């Protein structure tokens, strides 16, 4: 059976004002001509039809703005529909009745479905989607990922008096080459319907891929830095190993009297002595580290105080040098030590107290020498403080580890050797402790199982979507190559026809 070609036919059209028909006309198949004198409303009727079929228009003339509603009965390959739209703004929704005009006029309000012109976040289909499917035209989009609407489709079929005659599309301020090409390809069948459907599917699958990838990335980021990504199979194997170890330990507990031999008493005594010596070593190491930390902290405080002293001396030196530069040498009349009057017969350039020759350059060099010495001591002190900080941090870390090791050794010793415990009790206590560790490890692993299974599921889903995307992209590439060839043939044919028309007109 031959397939039905897509089509849209206007059956009956009405313009309503205050509940009465201001215009009511039945249209027939083929070409319909609306004629009348200038100013009689021919363009207004065209604008109303454009608006009723989903065109975005609100530049109404005075007479047209007095009307309330437009109603259009249309025929499609899938049956008749009646469209009803209030005369208002450009984005005014459209009500749709699935049936003939006669039935629509008798239908209550709940028999109509209301649709927006464009897709919304609510997930409900748009008017263009409904009409395209009724017309057997696939849902299409431009290269910019914008869905083609009835408004864009009608721009190619509809022209007004303000649009230049040389333009194929109705003139709009905001227009893109991508949309015009997409509408032209859709109408002329250059790209084929499969390309549009695959493009939409690619966009949907890409959204699914991005969503899965985002969830997988968030899950991987939630893992602790030291926690490796483990497969569910490996986790189940790990749980199995722990279960087998638990079964072995429980068996050993049941057979404790058979496993403990008389000769193990001496071995038990030896192990207790070794454990005591280990405790002594851990205690001595802990005391040594505590002493080292205390000594280092004291030295650090002393160095900080010495550094403050050096900074103070540097500041005093700078003030003394500045004072000397301002007032120069002081000529003493009395000895600053004993108070006796000094001799006035002092050669110029000689100190009145010590009788030494004064040299300004040597005095300046002496200030510089003292300053450099202070700077060297400050630099060395800073380095010592840095070394002490590093040593203190290392000692504190070792001290924490030593405390943990001592606490563990104390627990082990108390568990195995304290009180009246013998080899049998130590054997049982050690096995019971290991059972507790196994239970804790099993609980932790089970908590990881759910995360590992989710990671495995998302990874598999991501791989499947990516594989599907690659197939879609490959098919889209082949279809676009074929469409490019058809476009080239169509343009060449149109060029030849245009040339013949031009020659004929000449």
């Amino acid at each position: 059976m031959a397939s039905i070609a897509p089509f849209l036919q206007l059956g009956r059209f009405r313009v309503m004002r205050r509940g009465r028909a201001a215009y009511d006309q039945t249209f027939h198949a083929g070409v319909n001509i609306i004629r009348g004198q200038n100013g009689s409303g021919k363009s207004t009727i065209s604008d109303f039809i454009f608006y009723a079929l989903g065109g975005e228009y609100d530049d109404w003339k005075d007479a047209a703005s007095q009307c309330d509603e437009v109603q259009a009965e249309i025929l499609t390959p899938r049956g008749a529909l009646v469209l009803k739209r209030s005369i208002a703004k450009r984005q005014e929704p459209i009500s749709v009745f699935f049936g003939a005009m006669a039935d629509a006029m008798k239908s209550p309000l709940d028999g109509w479905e209301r649709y927006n012109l464009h897709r919304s976040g609510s997930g409900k289909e748009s008017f263009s989607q409904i009409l395209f499917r009724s017309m057997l035209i696939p849902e299409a989009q431009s290269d910019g990922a914008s869905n083609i609407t009835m408004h864009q489709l009608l721009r190619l079929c509809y022209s007004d008096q303000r649009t230049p005659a040389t333009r194929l599309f109705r003139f709009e301020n905001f227009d893109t080459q991508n949309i015009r090409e997409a509408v032209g390809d859709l109408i002329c069948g250059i790209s084929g319907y499969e390309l549009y459907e695959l493009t939409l599917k690619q966009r949907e699958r890409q959204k699914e891929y991005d969503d899965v990838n985002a969830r997988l990335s968030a899950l991987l980021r939630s893992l602790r830095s030291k926690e490796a990504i483990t497969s569910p199979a490996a986790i189940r194997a790990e749980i199995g190993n722990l279960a087998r170890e638990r079964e072995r330990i429980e068996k050993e507990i049941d057979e404790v009297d058979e496993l403990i031999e008389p000769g193990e008493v001496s071995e038990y005594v030896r192990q207790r002595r070794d454990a005591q010596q280990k405790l002594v070593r851990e205690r001595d190491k802990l005391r040594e580290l505590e002493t080292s930390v205390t000594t280092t902290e004291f030295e650090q405080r002393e160095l900080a105080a010495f550094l403050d002293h050096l900074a103070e001396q540097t500041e005093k030196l700078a003030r003394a040098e500045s004072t000397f530069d301002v007032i120069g040498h002081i000529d003493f009349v009395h000895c600053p030590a004993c108070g006796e009057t000094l001799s006035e017969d002092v050669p110029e350039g000689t100190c009145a107290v010590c009788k030494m020759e004064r040299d300004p350059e040597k005095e300046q060099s002496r200030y510089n020498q003292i300053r450099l010495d202070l700077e060297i001591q400050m630099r060395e002190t800073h380095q010592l403080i840095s070394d002490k900080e590093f040593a203190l941090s290392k000692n504190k870390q070792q001290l924490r580890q030593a405390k943990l090791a001592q606490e563990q050794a104390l627990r082990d010793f108390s568990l195995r050797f304290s009180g009246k415990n013998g080899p049998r009790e130590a054997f049982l206590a050690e096995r019971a402790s290991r059972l507790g560790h196994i239970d804790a490890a099993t609980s932790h692993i089970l908590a990881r199982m759910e995360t590992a299974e989710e990671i495995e599921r998302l990874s598999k889903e991501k791989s499947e979507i990516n594989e599907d995307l690659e197939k879609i992209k490959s098919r889209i590439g082949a279809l676009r190559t074929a469409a490019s060839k058809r476009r080239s043939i169509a343009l060449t044919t149109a060029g030849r026809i245009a040339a013949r028309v031009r020659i004929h007109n000449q």
Side-chain angles (χ1 to χ4, degrees):
M1 186 171 105
S3 60
I4 303 175
F7 73 89
L8 173 69
Q9 178 184 334
L10 181 62
R12 184 180 176 186
F13 185 72
R14 301 204 312 169
V15 181
M16 308 300 293
R17 182 175 183 271
R18 297 180 181 178
R20 300 181 63 183
Y23 178 84
D24 189 346
Q25 182 65 49
T26 300
F27 291 79
H28 57 76
V31 177
N32 292 265
I33 298 176
I34 302 175
R35 61 186 180 87
Q37 297 179 354
N38 290 340
S40 60
K42 300 185 297 298
S43 297
T44 301
I45 295 299
S46 298
D47 292 338
F48 276 140
I49 294 175
F50 175 79
Y51 182 74
L53 295 179
E56 298 177 24
Y57 188 84
D58 59 3
D59 189 14
W60 303 109
K61 296 178 181 179
D62 292 339
S65 62
Q66 300 298 317
C67 298
D68 307 320
E69 183 181 87
V70 289
Q71 301 172 356
E73 179 187 48
I74 60 173
L75 304 178
T76 70
R78 289 184 171 175
L81 293 86
V82 179
L83 313 178
K84 182 171 64 174
R85 190 179 187 188
S86 298
I87 298 173
K89 54 188 179 181
R90 296 171 61 90
Q91 301 294 329
E92 185 69 18
I94 298 178
S95 297
V96 179
F97 178 84
F98 295 90
M101 177 72 80
D103 297 328
M105 294 302 100
K106 296 182 292 185
S107 173
L109 291 177
D110 57 4
W112 295 77
E113 295 286 340
R114 189 176 175 87
Y115 297 96
N116 292 323
L117 295 185
H118 300 275
R119 286 186 178 183
S120 61
S122 62
K124 186 177 181 180
E125 294 178 323
S126 67
F127 168 74
S128 296
Q129 289 176 281
I130 295 299
L131 207 54
F132 281 172
R133 291 175 184 174
S134 299
M135 295 162 59
L136 299 184
I137 292 180
E139 207 179 329
Q141 66 176 17
S142 63
D143 290 342
S146 299
N147 288 84
I148 295 175
T149 64
M150 277 299 298
H151 170 79
Q152 294 159 354
L153 196 65
L154 291 170
R155 287 181 56 213
L156 182 60
C157 308
Y158 165 80
S159 179
D160 56 24
Q161 295 179 357
R162 291 168 294 183
T163 299
T166 55
R167 292 180 62 92
L168 289 175
F169 283 82
R170 177 173 174 266
F171 176 77
E172 285 190 350
N173 292 329
F174 300 97
D175 197 4
T176 64
Q177 180 69 19
N178 289 338
I179 291 178
R180 292 197 300 271
E181 289 182 355
V183 172
D185 290 351
L186 178 65
I187 293 296
C188 299
I190 290 177
S191 297
Y193 296 158
E194 184 183 1
L195 177 59
Y196 296 115
E197 293 171 349
L198 284 176
T199 306
L200 288 174
K201 185 177 179 181
Q202 180 188 15
R203 183 170 62 175
E204 293 173 357
R205 296 295 278 172
Q206 186 64 50
K207 288 181 179 178
E208 294 175 8
Y209 179 87
D210 294 340
D211 178 61
V212 170
N213 187 55
R215 284 188 286 157
L216 180 60
S217 299
L219 200 58
L220 293 176
R221 285 195 300 269
S222 67
L223 296 176
R224 292 191 293 270
S225 58
K226 296 182 180 180
E227 187 173 343
I229 302 175
T230 311
S231 66
I235 292 177
R236 283 190 285 270
E238 193 173 351
I239 293 175
N241 292 334
L242 290 173
R244 285 188 290 273
E245 183 182 359
R246 181 183 182 85
E247 183 179 354
R248 177 180 59 80
I249 291 175
E250 289 176 346
K251 184 178 180 181
E252 290 178 353
I253 291 175
D254 293 338
E255 300 173 354
V256 58
D257 295 325
E258 300 175 9
L259 295 174
I260 299 297
E261 299 178 0
E264 292 188 12
V265 175
S266 58
E267 178 66 18
Y268 174 80
V269 173
R270 184 191 65 78
Q271 290 179 356
R272 183 169 59 182
R273 183 176 61 252
D274 293 342
Q276 288 173 337
Q277 293 175 354
K278 181 179 179 182
L279 283 176
V280 172
R281 289 195 301 271
E282 293 291 342
R283 183 196 60 195
D284 293 342
K285 181 179 179 181
L286 186 62
R287 289 178 178 175
E288 181 182 350
L289 287 171
E290 288 175 342
T291 303
S292 178
V293 168
T294 303
T295 303
T296 305
E297 288 177 340
F298 174 77
E299 292 174 349
Q300 199 175 29
R301 290 193 296 270
E302 289 294 310
L303 286 171
F306 181 63
L307 187 63
D308 293 339
H309 171 72
L310 292 176
E312 182 182 358
Q313 293 300 314
T314 302
E315 185 180 354
K316 288 181 179 179
L317 178 66
R319 288 201 301 267
E321 187 176 10
S322 300
T323 303
F324 179 77
D325 292 340
V326 173
I327 65 175
H329 290 282
I330 300 175
D331 292 329
F332 289 94
V333 178
H334 299 280
C335 178
C338 64
E340 292 293 329
T341 303
L342 298 173
S343 174
E344 295 181 357
D345 298 331
V346 179
E348 186 178 355
T350 303
C351 178
V353 179
C354 66
K355 311 304 182 184
M356 296 295 294
E357 183 181 356
R358 295 181 300 188
D359 186 349
E361 292 184 359
K362 288 183 178 179
E363 291 173 354
Q364 187 177 9
S365 297
R366 186 162 57 252
Y367 277 114
N368 187 44
Q369 180 181 4
I370 297 172
R371 183 188 303 105
L372 290 175
D373 183 59
L374 288 173
E375 290 177 353
I376 290 173
Q377 291 187 61
M378 291 180 69
R379 184 167 59 251
E380 291 176 348
T381 305
H382 276 295
Q383 181 61 43
L384 286 173
I385 290 176
S386 178
D387 294 342
K388 293 298 180 183
E389 288 179 350
F390 177 77
L392 182 62
S393 175
K394 184 177 180 181
N395 288 339
K396 285 184 175 180
Q397 181 180 5
Q398 292 177 349
L399 180 60
R400 288 193 297 269
Q401 294 174 351
K403 286 182 177 179
L404 292 174
Q406 186 191 40
E407 291 173 359
Q408 183 63 43
L410 284 171
R411 284 195 296 268
D412 292 343
F413 185 86
S414 176
L415 183 66
R416 297 187 60 188
F417 307 112
S418 64
K420 299 180 180 179
N421 289 348
R424 184 178 187 280
E425 288 73 16
F427 181 91
L428 293 175
E430 183 182 1
R431 275 19 180 214
S433 175
R434 180 54 189 164
L435 286 178
H437 291 156
I438 290 175
D439 291 340
T442 303
S443 299
H444 176 68
I445 293 172
L446 287 175
R448 288 165 46 201
M449 173 67 80
E450 183 178 353
T451 301
E453 289 177 343
E454 182 67 7
I455 290 176
E456 184 179 57
R457 186 188 67 79
L458 290 175
S459 299
K460 182 179 179 181
E461 185 177 356
K462 178 181 175 181
S463 177
E464 292 174 352
I465 295 176
N466 186 61
E467 183 179 353
D468 193 21
L469 275 173
E470 292 300 322
K471 292 179 180 179
I472 293 173
K473 290 177 182 178
S474 176
R475 181 58 179 164
I476 286 177
L479 290 173
R480 283 179 174 168
T481 301
S484 178
K485 294 180 181 179
R486 287 196 296 271
R487 182 178 288 105
S488 178
I489 295 172
L491 292 175
T492 302
T493 304
R496 287 200 300 265
I497 294 174
R500 288 200 302 268
V501 170
R502 183 177 179 184
I503 293 174
H504 177 74
N505 290 338
Q506 290 178 349

